[in-house]
Amino acid sequence: MATPARPRSSASASFPRARRIRKRADFVRIQNGGHRVTTRHLLILVAAPSAATPRGGARRGKARGAALGESGAAAVPHSPSAASRLGLVASRKVGGAVARNRAKRLLREAFRRFPELFPDRVDIVVILRTGAGSLGLEDVLAELRSVVPVVRRRARDALAASPPIATAARGADERAAGDPAPPARG
């Protein structure tokens, strides 16, 4: 008799799209301008979210059109209580496909189960280094816990250096609502 298929993990244990960094442009932005924290097996890059980064998981189609302004930028600014997003990069230096996927799965698990290790309201890219494929969950957690204060400091620096998103988005919303643009100075 065949064994029944195991049910997929519940939604609470999933890694929702709104928490992922998926676009190449976001990876490049964070890798070029992010604040760096290094450990033996991880390079952690922390950056403030861009003004055009949609938060909240609007789906493509009609709902997406309502959430985006005419220019394609997000009409709703990044809320202060929003959770951080995670992107992972693993080259062949980490190991074969099995080792790379296992290491990324362990980091996603740490991101999901231990949110206190990661600061809120920032984009985080973790680049796995040589040897990360042989780590276990406890090893990953130990490396992350050892740099929590530094990562939080880098997140504060990144948020302080970024332009205020809410002000720019509010001005665009007001102009889109029919208010005239502010007069040009000069």
Side-chain angles (χ1 to χ4, degrees):
M1 178 168 216
T3 307
R6 282 186 0 185
R8 295 188 64 85
S9 61
S10 67
S12 64
S14 68
F15 192 50
R17 284 185 170 218
R19 303 279 318 268
R20 300 178 201 169
I21 297 173
R22 301 179 317 153
K23 296 186 178 183
R24 183 180 190 284
D26 286 336
F27 277 98
V28 170
R29 174 184 57 84
I30 295 164
Q31 287 177 352
N32 289 338
H35 296 264
R36 299 171 185 267
V37 178
T38 60
T39 68
R40 181 172 180 194
H41 298 103
L42 307 173
L43 171 60
I44 303 166
L45 303 165
V46 181
S50 70
T53 303
R55 300 285 179 151
R59 302 242 181 218
R60 290 185 179 178
K62 293 179 184 177
R64 180 181 174 144
L68 297 179
E70 289 182 27
S71 66
V76 179
H78 175 60
S79 67
S81 63
S84 56
R85 296 189 313 157
L86 177 69
L88 299 170
V89 178
S91 71
R92 290 186 187 165
K93 292 178 186 178
V94 174
V98 173
R100 290 193 309 268
N101 290 331
R102 181 178 180 279
K104 290 191 296 186
R105 191 168 49 248
L106 290 175
L107 275 162
R108 283 192 298 267
E109 182 71 11
F111 188 74
R112 250 192 319 264
R113 286 183 41 198
F114 303 98
E116 67 276 4
L117 298 177
F118 300 92
D120 290 335
R121 301 181 296 136
V122 293
D123 289 342
I124 301 168
V125 170
V126 179
I127 300 174
L128 298 153
R129 293 176 150 180
T130 304
S134 63
L135 298 176
L137 182 59
E138 289 303 318
D139 300 325
V140 169
L141 291 174
E143 280 199 35
L144 290 172
R145 286 183 180 125
S146 70
V147 295
V148 166
V150 179
V151 172
R152 291 193 188 284
R153 193 172 335 121
R154 297 288 193 271
R156 278 194 307 269
D157 295 345
L159 290 171
S162 71
I165 296 172
T167 306
R170 187 178 68 232
D173 289 344
E174 289 171 358
R175 284 189 296 281
D179 293 341
R185 296 184 188 234

